[in-house]
């Protein structure tokens, strides 16, 4: 079936038809991975459509830009307005938003100071890891590919080039018949999923890998930390050896796209009861509660479209 695309996209200051948002084949980003981006969701809430943690996502976009000396020609407020505008123009309420900034056409050298082009796309998105994933969980494998070492490519920037690593991990998992791949860091300790952070539960305590394990410190990861602590659940950030994946009572993956997805089996070994565990269920209830009105948004995370 032919892919259906949204009608409108925002690029370099204007809303235009999707097909007109093009880049030159000699754009720096296409050759060298020099793009930075965000993935954001909007939800339907009792108060109307809201973009979840828009300000925090855009803040991370500007942090990624800083790492790569990219000066965006728009302010954070202008990009926030662009995100709202492109959702409204397409007539969406629950959607995925993809702001991207990239080195465009303007010189052939690696260190060329090219113009920075910016676009914001949006499209409807259901559960990222499959329709049943949130309910029954997914299978995962530990990848034969490690994440890049901290002194090679900064994992803390959400840059296009980083996702060569994610593609190797996710494609290997898919080829082997698993729902998602999990990577170790160059230290040999656990890092994160191809495009998701990890939480493991032991005796009622949540454990997650630290920034030093070559992870992107996710906004969903932060949301879980805040919601869990608020609910009296202890959360620790710590180095985690691979075998703890097999011994944990529960393991979950989280991210804007993946939301909170239980993992029921890793490397062919059942995780806990093989079903979404008590803490995973509670975190899902609290997380999705933000959007159905059952969890009070004390933090101003829901930003109206
Ligand atoms: N790690 C990687 C590599 C990712 O691509 C993502 C998705 N952006 C995450 C973690 C989760 O981040 P967030 O919760 O901010 O979406």
């Amino acid at each position: 079936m032919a892919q259906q695309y949204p009608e409108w996209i925002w690029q370099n200051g204007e809303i235009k038809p999707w097909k007109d948002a093009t880049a030159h084949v000699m754009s720096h980003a296409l050759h060298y991975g020099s793009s930075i981006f965000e993935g954001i969701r909007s939800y339907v809430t009792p108060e109307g459509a809201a973009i979840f943690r828009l300000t925090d996502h855009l803040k991370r976009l500007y942090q990624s830009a800083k790492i790569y000396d990219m000066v965006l020609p728009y302010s954070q407020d202008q990009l926030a307005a662009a995100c709202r505008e492109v959702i409204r123009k397409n007539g969406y309420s629950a959607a995925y938003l993809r702001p991207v900034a990239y080195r465009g056409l303007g010189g052939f050298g690696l260190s060329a100071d090219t113009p920075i082009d910016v676009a914001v796309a949006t499209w409807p998105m259901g559960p990222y890891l499959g329709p049943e994933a949130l309910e029954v969980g997914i299978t995962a494998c530990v990848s034969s590919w490690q994440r890049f070492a901290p002194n090679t490519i900064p994992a803390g920037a959400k840059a296009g080039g980083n996702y060569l690593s994610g593609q190797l991990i996710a494609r290997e998992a898919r080829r082997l018949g698993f729902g998602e791949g999990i990577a170790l860091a160059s230290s040999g300790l656990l890092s994160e999923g191809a495009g998701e952070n990890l939480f493991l539960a032991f005796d009622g305590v949540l454990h997650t890998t630290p920034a030093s394990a070559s992870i992107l410190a996710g906004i969903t990861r932060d949301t879980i930390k805040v919601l869990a602590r608020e609910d009296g659940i202890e959360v620790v950030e710590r180095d985690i050896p691979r075998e703890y994946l097999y011994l944990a009572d529960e393991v979950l993956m989280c991210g804007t796209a993946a939301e909170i997805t239980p993992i029921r089996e890793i490397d062919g070994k059942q995780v806990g009861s093989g079903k979404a565990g008590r803490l995973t269920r509670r975190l899902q209830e609290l997380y999705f509660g933000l959007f159905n009105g059952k969890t009070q948004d004390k933090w101003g995370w829901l930003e109206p479209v």
Side-chain angles (χ1 to χ4, degrees):
M1 201 171 74
Q3 178 92 39
Q4 294 278 303
Y5 293 109
E7 204 170 345
W8 302 102
I9 189 164
W10 184 99
Q11 189 187 30
N12 293 334
E14 44 176 321
I15 292 273
K16 45 173 90 166
W18 179 275
K19 65 174 174 36
D20 296 345
T22 54
H24 196 275
V25 291
M26 288 311 296
S27 295
H28 194 277
L30 195 56
H31 298 254
Y32 305 129
S34 44
S35 64
I36 54 164
F37 66 98
E38 274 303 317
I40 314 172
R41 273 190 194 259
S42 65
Y43 289 90
V44 178
T45 79
E47 315 290 316
I51 306 178
F52 186 56
R53 301 192 67 171
L54 173 64
T55 304
D56 293 324
H57 278 283
L58 291 180
K59 188 171 158 198
R60 187 171 68 184
L61 183 76
Y62 283 81
Q63 289 171 343
S64 301
K66 184 172 184 184
I67 292 172
Y68 286 104
D69 300 326
M70 292 168 72
V71 180
L72 272 52
Y74 303 98
S75 67
Q76 194 174 317
D77 284 348
Q78 284 174 310
L79 280 197
C83 289
R84 294 187 160 95
E85 195 185 350
V86 75
I87 290 186
R88 283 201 297 256
K89 182 80 180 171
N90 279 295
Y92 297 153
S93 35
Y96 183 80
L97 267 170
R98 167 58 56 83
V100 58
Y102 55 96
R103 289 203 172 277
L105 186 65
F108 303 114
L110 279 179
S111 63
D113 276 321
T114 67
I116 306 298
D117 291 320
V118 186
V120 185
T122 183
W123 60 90
M125 184 191 272
Y128 171 67
L129 294 168
E132 291 172 4
L134 297 173
E135 200 54 39
V136 303
I138 59 160
T139 62
C141 62
V142 174
S143 182
S144 67
W145 291 102
Q146 280 180 354
R147 297 279 292 167
F148 31 87
N151 59 350
T152 59
I153 292 177
K158 194 167 169 62
N162 296 17
Y163 287 80
L164 289 172
S165 159
Q167 287 174 57
L168 291 170
I169 297 161
R171 294 185 70 89
E172 180 185 59
R174 196 177 72 186
R175 178 171 56 80
L176 298 174
F178 294 95
E180 185 57 298
I182 295 172
L184 303 180
S186 56
S187 61
L189 299 166
L190 267 185
S191 176
E192 62 176 347
E196 308 84 8
N197 292 125
L198 286 172
F199 280 88
L200 285 70
F202 288 95
D203 299 325
V205 176
L206 289 171
H207 299 238
T208 192
T209 52
S212 54
S214 294
I215 66 165
L216 178 74
I219 287 165
T220 318
R221 173 178 174 273
D222 179 71
T223 303
I224 289 177
K225 286 200 285 187
V226 172
L227 291 176
R229 286 177 179 151
E230 180 83 5
D231 200 46
I233 304 166
E234 194 185 336
V235 186
V236 290
E237 271 183 55
R238 50 161 299 185
D239 287 336
I240 306 178
R242 170 179 181 165
E243 65 273 23
Y244 279 38
L245 287 173
Y246 313 137
L247 307 179
D249 304 321
E250 305 176 36
V251 181
L252 67 85
M253 279 187 160
C254 67
T256 298
E259 298 171 306
I260 297 180
T261 300
I263 309 187
R264 62 182 156 83
E265 195 188 281
I266 301 174
D267 292 339
K269 297 181 206 297
Q270 181 173 300
V271 176
S273 64
K275 298 196 181 76
R278 181 179 64 85
L279 285 185
T280 305
R281 287 259 175 256
R282 179 64 184 148
L283 292 170
Q284 287 182 326
E285 192 178 313
L286 293 168
Y287 187 74
F288 293 111
L290 287 164
F291 316 124
N292 65 28
K294 289 195 179 133
T295 303
Q296 192 196 341
D297 174 21
K298 296 183 187 169
W299 306 272
W301 286 338
L302 297 174
E303 303 180 45
V305 170

